[in-house]
Amino acid sequence: MTQESGVNWFILKTEPMTFSVDDLREVGTTPWDGVRNFEASKILRQHMAVGDQVFIYHSGRRSQDSPAVVGMGQVVSEAYADPSQWQQEAPGFDPRSTLQRPRWWCRDIAYVRHLGRPIPLAELCRMPELAATRLCQRGNRLSVVPIAASAAARILALGAF
DNA sequence: GCCAACGTTGGC
DNA sequence: GCCAACGTTGGC
């Protein structure tokens, strides 16, 4: 990363029916596992670092709420092999993963706080700083989205009470 | 529920 | 290495 500030920012997508920001608050810290997209996994493994900040995003799938950024978290572990890739019962089971050569990675994410209000995708993407992010590109499926500090600042401004 | 867009797989 | 088929994502 070329930024001098040191702290990088990301948006982590999750389906609230499966795991919501409220769930994250309840458990405090969770392995952010189940990422099964090579690019997202690579970002998580190679571009994240302990101390980086993340926004929690609820995707709209199977939910009546509009998709929105709802809270903040923090990266609190180095990357490690996602155990669910070896669990036959898990949805993310991958028979091609070996112990010597894992295919998928995760990191522990700690709850920081809810935003003052959910910021809907439509509102986010009206902001020039965010319209340029992959979150706002049509058809985008990346579940770990790097964002610039300026974009993060915009979300924080919108999310203040 | 619909369906466009996407990433991955697998046949060739 | 190509690319069609497939399964999944995700906004609406």
Side-chain angles (χ1 to χ4, degrees):
Chain A
M1 295 269 101
T2 55
Q3 293 240 338
E4 262 190 45
S5 69
V7 177
N8 299 307
W9 296 80
F10 301 87
I11 294 170
L12 298 183
K13 292 186 191 173
T14 182
E15 285 189 40
M17 305 274 94
T18 305
F19 189 85
S20 70
V21 68
D22 290 350
D23 295 328
L24 180 59
R25 175 169 56 192
E26 195 170 324
V27 298
T29 300
T30 193
W32 204 264
D33 57 6
V35 175
R36 293 293 182 271
N37 167 288
F38 284 117
E39 188 179 1
S41 194
K42 181 180 174 185
I43 292 167
L44 186 146
R45 185 185 184 189
Q46 299 181 3
H47 294 211
M48 273 186 179
V50 172
D52 283 353
Q53 303 282 114
V54 300
F55 290 100
I56 307 299
Y57 172 87
H58 285 176
S59 72
R61 220 163 146 257
R62 288 157 47 204
S63 158
Q64 54 272 66
D65 297 330
S66 52
V69 170
V70 291
M72 295 185 62
Q74 193 168 19
V75 178
V76 293
S77 84
E78 301 296 339
Y80 57 96
D82 180 345
S84 69
Q85 67 195 303
W86 294 299
Q87 292 164 5
Q88 294 224 12
E89 309 308 319
F93 174 65
D94 188 339
R96 292 157 298 190
S97 295
T98 64
L99 287 170
Q100 292 74 24
R101 197 176 258 257
R103 302 181 85 217
W104 308 108
W105 303 85
C106 66
R107 285 176 184 267
D108 292 343
I109 300 295
Y111 174 81
V112 173
R113 64 182 178 90
H114 281 57
L115 294 185
R117 66 182 173 97
I119 320 293
L121 181 65
E123 182 179 347
L124 290 168
C125 296
R126 281 198 293 272
M127 304 296 127
E129 297 91 336
L130 289 155
T133 66
R134 297 181 65 173
L135 184 73
C136 298
Q137 287 169 11
R138 181 155 149 263
N140 176 52
R141 302 170 64 163
L142 195 63
S143 61
V144 180
V145 184
I147 60 171
S150 60
R154 174 58 73 179
I155 296 173
L156 290 172
L158 291 172
F161 279 104

